[in-house]
């Protein structure tokens, strides 16, 4: 670290690695559950009103397991982070329609909706910043 370089700037690559780990942990954990319980995932997608539940379940598994793992290791990070941001917004709009609910259910879904929006923001920031040096992309 040079005297003119702030500490956090000197730790950029480490912080981007930590950001990638934190950002995809949720996706990998729940995506894996969707994969190993795929028939239940299809049923859940249908119950939630997702269009084409089988396709929606397959898209969810692909986005939450291989795409998230690729971001974790820093492979095709920028385009996949953008794709994951779009996915997060879409799942928020389909799965957490708090504006149609009331009471505690409305509050619970509002929290989840805005968490999806926050995750999308993190994905967009990662798309803009790149994965850092500790990645396959090295960018």
């Amino acid at each position: 670290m040079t005297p003119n370089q702030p500490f956090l700037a000197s730790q950029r690559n480490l912080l981007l690695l930590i950001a990638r780990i934190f950002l995809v942990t949720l996706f990998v954990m729940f995506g894996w559950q969707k994969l190993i319980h795929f028939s239940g995932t299809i049923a859940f997608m249908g119950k939630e009103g997702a269009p084409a539940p089988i396709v929606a379940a397959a898209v969810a598994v692909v986005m939450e397991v291989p795409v998230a793992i690729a971001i974790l290791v820093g492979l095709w990070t920028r385009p996949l982070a953008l794709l994951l941001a779009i996915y997060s917004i879409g799942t928020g709009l389909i799965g957490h329609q708090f504006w149609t609910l009331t009471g505690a259910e409305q509050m619970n879904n509002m929290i989840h909706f805005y968490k999806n929006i926050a995750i999308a923001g993190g994905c967009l920031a990662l798309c803009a910043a790149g994965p850092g040096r500790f990645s396959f992309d090295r960018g």
Side-chain angles (χ1 to χ4, degrees):
M1 179 169 63
T2 64
N4 294 328
Q5 185 181 26
F7 173 74
L8 289 179
S10 71
Q11 299 303 313
R12 176 183 181 276
N13 293 304
L14 178 61
L15 291 171
L16 286 168
L17 173 62
I18 292 168
R20 290 195 331 265
I21 293 167
F22 285 178
L23 195 56
V24 303
T25 297
L26 171 93
F27 291 107
V28 174
M29 285 177 45
F30 290 99
W32 182 252
Q33 292 303 310
K34 287 177 177 79
L35 176 62
I36 64 173
H37 303 290
F38 194 69
S39 61
T41 301
I42 294 168
F44 176 77
M45 295 293 182
K47 182 178 138 288
E48 289 296 308
I54 294 171
V55 174
V59 167
V61 168
V62 168
M63 291 300 299
E64 295 182 24
V65 181
V67 167
I69 290 171
I71 291 171
L72 174 67
V73 300
L75 183 63
W76 303 309
T77 305
R78 290 177 192 263
L80 292 180
L82 178 60
L83 190 61
L84 198 58
I86 294 166
Y87 171 78
S88 295
I89 293 167
T91 57
L93 290 169
I94 292 168
H96 303 295
Q97 297 177 4
F98 69 90
W99 52 90
T100 66
L101 304 169
T102 59
E105 192 177 12
Q106 181 184 40
M107 182 56 71
N108 182 45
N109 275 276
M110 184 186 301
I111 290 167
H112 288 295
F113 176 83
Y114 283 106
K115 283 182 181 179
N116 277 48
I117 298 302
I119 291 166
C123 289
L124 292 174
L126 187 57
C127 179
R133 186 178 73 211
F134 305 124
S135 66
F136 283 101
D137 293 343
R138 301 211 189 271

